[in-house]
Amino acid sequence: MSFIHNEKMVLKQKLENKKLDKEPIINGIKILEDLIEELKKDGESKVLEKYNR
């Protein structure tokens, strides 16, 4: 979970860079937020099992 939060912070910092396309960064943040919610709802072991395919 801390890895996800760290990655989210990195992406938010990248949003401040005016030269980068912001749409992929915003999409990445949304994916991480969805993953956090999934982890809270289902637990780490079920999420790992789901994405380890």
Side-chain angles (χ1 to χ4, degrees), residues 21-37:
D21 183 17
K22 296 193 182 338
E23 190 65 31
I25 297 170
I26 292 170
N27 288 338
I29 292 171
K30 174 74 171 112
I31 290 168
L32 290 173
E33 289 173 346
D34 291 346
L35 186 57
I36 289 169
E37 289 304 312

Side-chain angles (χ1 to χ4, degrees), residues 38-49:
E38 194 172 347
L39 283 166
K40 287 179 183 177
K41 185 180 117 200
D42 298 333
E44 185 176 339
S45 61
K46 286 193 178 193
V47 173
L48 285 174
E49 183 179 318

Side-chain angles (χ1 to χ4, degrees), residues 12-28:
K12 285 186 175 186
Q13 289 174 348
K14 287 186 177 189
L15 275 176
E16 296 173 9
N17 185 337
K18 294 178 180 170
K19 296 179 184 177
L20 293 175
D21 183 17
K22 296 193 182 338
E23 190 65 31
I25 297 170
I26 292 170
N27 288 338

